[in-house]
Amino acid sequence: MESGTWRFLVSFIPLLIYLFYIFYSAYSSSSSQPTTSGCSLLPHNRYWIVSQRIVTPHGIISGAVEINGGSIISLVKEKEWLEKVKTAPVIDYGEAVVMPGLIDVHAHLDEPGREEWEGFPSGTKAAAAGGITTLIDMPLNSFPSTVSKETLQLKIDAAKGRIFVNVGFWGGLVPENAFNASILENLLNAGVLGLKSFMCPSGINDFPMTDASHIKEGISVLAKYKRPLLVHAEKVQEIELNDGDNDPRSYSTYLKTRPPSWEEAAIRELLTVAKDTRIGGPAEGAHVHIVHLSDSRSSLELIKEAKSNGDSITVETCPHYLAFSAEEIPDGDTRFKCSPPIRDAPNREKLWEALMDGDIDMLSSDHSPSVPELKLFAEGDFLRAWGGISSLQFVLPVTWSYGLKYGITLEKLVSWWSEKPAKLASQDLKGTIEIGKHADIVVWEPENEFALDENHTVHLKHPSISAYMGSRLTGKVVATFVNGNLVFEDGKHASDACGTTILA
């Protein structure tokens, strides 16, 4: 190398040292210095979480997770972390379980238009208190329903600066937009994570039911985007009630009005078009997801057969179908009304069996609140009361408490509530504790029992409508981290609502 060239290169060394110093200073100040942001109860952006039980894709370890700037940057076992942790703050949770935050793909937050039912602030505070770090809001029960680009924007505007966890949105597939590909494409381009349709009356005037012809059109558009269609699979069938079976205060009366045959009929029709999602099919790339399965018999068998035939299809059920049975529901207690309905105890047993065996893929809350007046508590009329289980804050301890009898494990819990929901919603950076993933984490104590009574702080807008009030549960949430921010700990929320709106 000629001396002139060498001198030229050497002259850059001071500049490189200076740039390194600037970068290091900026990195240090942004990651290890205290922050005064109201987004987090923790005054640091960079820190370690230590626990003897960290649930990872490769097993449960005793060790530490390093967080910086909202992401997981290091994951080490116990013997290694003591050597690595030098200056960053450490939060030691001892024997409490550290695992990915829950992802609830089925919740109704009712805003805009019906915020008196729930709303983004109270709903996401309840979610954070329950260990849910991401939820996907349904397109109905708000007003107007989310069926166009314009109505999606109303949702986004309503959520801005008012959510304590991450929130994404499903769009609605209705007869109005099903045969208009441009409306659906505009809605999908605007950021909905997929579409949702009803195969029976939804109870919401601007969200009418669809049939197989609408669904076929919907999945053909979704195939281009590789996003799912979520389906409420009940189809109205003629039923006959005897004169002695019409006491509206009796839960058995309501149960007979929505028999398992409604679910079976809807799923049979749905599968005539779901086959298009097979590899090589006209809708390859689309995916069908059946929400809140209640019938564990013929309906489940149809889904299992469709999976074996290569249909791109998954199914969820909800904690209330796993916790309660029809025989236990008191007369007039309309807190338990939902659709499809809670069925008998043998059906519940088979739901647990299917969930444990992997035939049911995941869980969701189907949090569906209302104002207490619509539950008609004074009348106790199951036929006229608004249906829906209010549950967002309780799904983690409910799943764990009722699952202990069936051999539930922490790994299965993560699969049902984090890993598979993340895949459904195409959230590749969520759902597991791994390097490079978002720092969405729940810390909880599986052995800690508590009573859901007047002494337990409930963040839902209307605690009295929840069927879980009065229960005794196991599994107390200690802390919830969203995007690296400690948003909930020991009953207290961060002062600012800094959750992220998730758009595809």
Side-chain angles (χ1 to χ4, degrees):
M1 181 181 293
E2 296 180 3
S3 60
T5 304
W6 174 252
R7 285 195 299 271
F8 176 79
L9 292 175
V10 168
S11 68
F12 275 92
I13 292 176
L15 176 61
L16 292 172
I17 293 173
Y18 174 75
L19 290 174
F20 176 80
Y21 172 78
I22 294 296
F23 172 80
Y24 180 80
S25 299
Y27 175 83
S28 299
S29 63
S30 67
S31 60
S32 62
Q33 295 300 311
T35 175
T36 56
S37 170
C39 295
S40 179
L41 295 169
L42 184 68
H44 299 282
N45 290 325
R46 185 182 184 188
Y47 55 90
W48 290 83
I49 294 174
V50 174
S51 169
Q52 295 175 34
R53 291 186 286 182
I54 301 174
V55 186
T56 78
H58 308 293
I60 299 171
I61 67 169
S62 175
V65 183
E66 186 180 11
I67 313 297
N68 187 23
S71 297
I72 297 170
I73 65 169
S74 183
L75 176 62
V76 294
K77 294 184 178 180
E78 185 174 25
K79 293 180 180 179
E80 303 169 12
W81 80 264
L82 289 172
E83 302 174 3
K84 289 181 175 285
V85 177
K86 293 186 173 19
T87 58
V90 174
I91 313 171
D92 192 342
Y93 285 111
E95 294 185 354
V97 169
V98 171
M99 72 181 204
L102 278 64
I103 299 174
D104 187 358
V105 295
H106 191 157
H108 299 267
L109 294 186
D110 311 323
E111 204 173 346
R114 293 190 176 94
E115 52 266 37
E116 70 274 14
W117 289 20
E118 187 64 83
F120 285 117
S122 62
T124 57
K125 273 192 170 183
I132 297 170
T133 54
T134 299
L135 60 83
I136 318 298
D137 191 33
M138 281 292 170
L140 71 161
N141 292 15
S142 54
F143 182 79
S145 294
T146 310
V147 295
S148 67
K149 178 179 75 172
E150 293 76 17
T151 50
L152 172 63
Q153 189 60 50
L154 295 176
K155 279 260 189 195
I156 296 170
D157 292 344
K160 187 176 180 180
R162 302 174 69 239
I163 52 176
F164 288 83
V165 301
N166 301 316
V167 176
F169 309 97
W170 302 119
L173 177 70
V174 294
E176 175 189 351
N177 62 21
F179 295 105
N180 191 325
S182 64
I183 295 179
L184 289 180
E185 288 172 354
N186 287 339
L187 180 57
L188 289 160
N189 288 334
V192 295
L193 302 177
L195 301 176
K196 163 75 179 293
S197 73
F198 267 69
M199 296 183 73
C200 63
S202 70
I204 299 295
N205 291 336
D206 67 344
F207 205 94
M209 60 183 279
T210 56
D211 59 24
S213 67
H214 304 114
I215 291 171
K216 187 178 183 69
E217 294 297 321
I219 63 173
S220 69
V221 174
L222 286 164
K224 305 171 189 176
Y225 293 83
K226 300 189 185 306
R227 297 181 204 169
L229 173 68
L230 286 72
V231 182
H232 180 128
E234 284 185 290
K235 186 175 181 179
V236 176
Q237 308 284 292
E238 288 190 14
I239 56 173
E240 293 184 9
L241 292 179
N242 299 323
D243 291 339
D245 293 335
N246 56 7
D247 178 6
R249 287 183 53 82
S250 172
Y251 181 76
S252 63
T253 299
Y254 171 64
L255 183 59
K256 290 170 185 174
T257 67
R258 297 185 92 110
S261 60
W262 282 30
E263 291 187 78
E264 180 183 353
I267 291 170
R268 282 190 185 279
E269 181 175 330
L270 176 62
L271 295 183
T272 64
V273 292
K275 68 180 188 304
D276 290 349
T277 63
R278 297 173 188 172
I279 295 174
E284 180 184 353
H287 179 79
V288 173
H289 179 73
I290 296 172
V291 300
H292 51 44
L293 182 75
S294 172
D295 173 33
S296 62
R297 298 179 175 91
S298 54
S299 299
L300 181 61
E301 290 304 314
L302 288 172
I303 296 168
K304 290 165 63 176
E305 182 180 355
K307 288 182 177 182
S308 67
N309 289 335
D311 295 13
S312 182
I313 188 168
T314 49
V315 60
E316 70 184 46
T317 192
C318 305
H320 44 274
Y321 300 122
L322 301 169
F324 306 127
S325 67
E327 301 91 333
E328 301 165 348
I329 297 175
D331 287 350
D333 196 346
T334 55
R335 296 179 303 161
F336 292 88
K337 180 181 178 180
C338 59
S339 60
I342 296 164
R343 304 197 188 279
D344 59 31
N347 182 82
R348 177 180 60 186
E349 295 294 309
K350 289 185 69 66
L351 283 176
W352 270 112
E353 179 182 330
L355 183 64
M356 295 296 290
D357 289 346
D359 295 322
I360 294 175
D361 300 280
M362 67 191 78
L363 295 175
S364 76
S365 72
D366 189 15
H367 174 67
S368 186
S370 70
V371 291
E373 292 77 17
L374 290 179
K375 301 299 280 188
L376 303 180
F377 289 137
E379 301 169 42
D381 188 332
F382 277 104
L383 300 182
R384 293 175 52 240
W386 182 264
I389 303 292
S390 179
S391 59
L392 203 53
Q393 187 173 333
F394 316 130
V395 292
L396 173 55
V398 167
T399 305
W400 183 255
S401 300
Y402 288 91
L404 290 172
K405 172 183 174 182
Y406 302 93
I408 190 173
T409 65
L410 295 173
E411 293 92 338
K412 285 189 178 294
L413 196 65
V414 168
S415 174
W416 302 333
W417 274 113
S418 302
E419 291 177 359
K420 290 179 179 176
K423 184 177 181 181
L424 178 71
S426 298
Q427 297 303 299
D428 297 337
L429 294 177
K430 299 184 184 296
T432 58
I433 292 181
E434 292 181 279
I435 295 173
K437 295 295 184 78
H438 292 165
D440 296 341
I441 292 170
V442 58
V443 183
W444 64 292
E445 298 171 337
E447 295 80 20
N448 192 330
E449 294 187 15
F450 63 97
L452 274 181
D453 55 23
E454 64 277 3
N455 297 317
H456 189 87
T457 302
V458 177
H459 300 281
L460 298 168
K461 184 162 286 186
H462 303 292
S464 66
I465 69 171
S466 177
Y468 295 109
M469 295 307 294
S471 302
R472 187 163 187 84
L473 300 174
T474 302
K476 185 178 180 181
V477 173
V478 175
T480 304
F481 296 81
V482 177
N483 306 324
N485 293 320
L486 179 57
V487 300
F488 175 83
E489 186 174 48
D490 294 332
K492 182 181 178 182
H493 289 84
S495 59
D496 295 348
C498 299
T500 301
T501 51
I502 300 171
L503 299 175

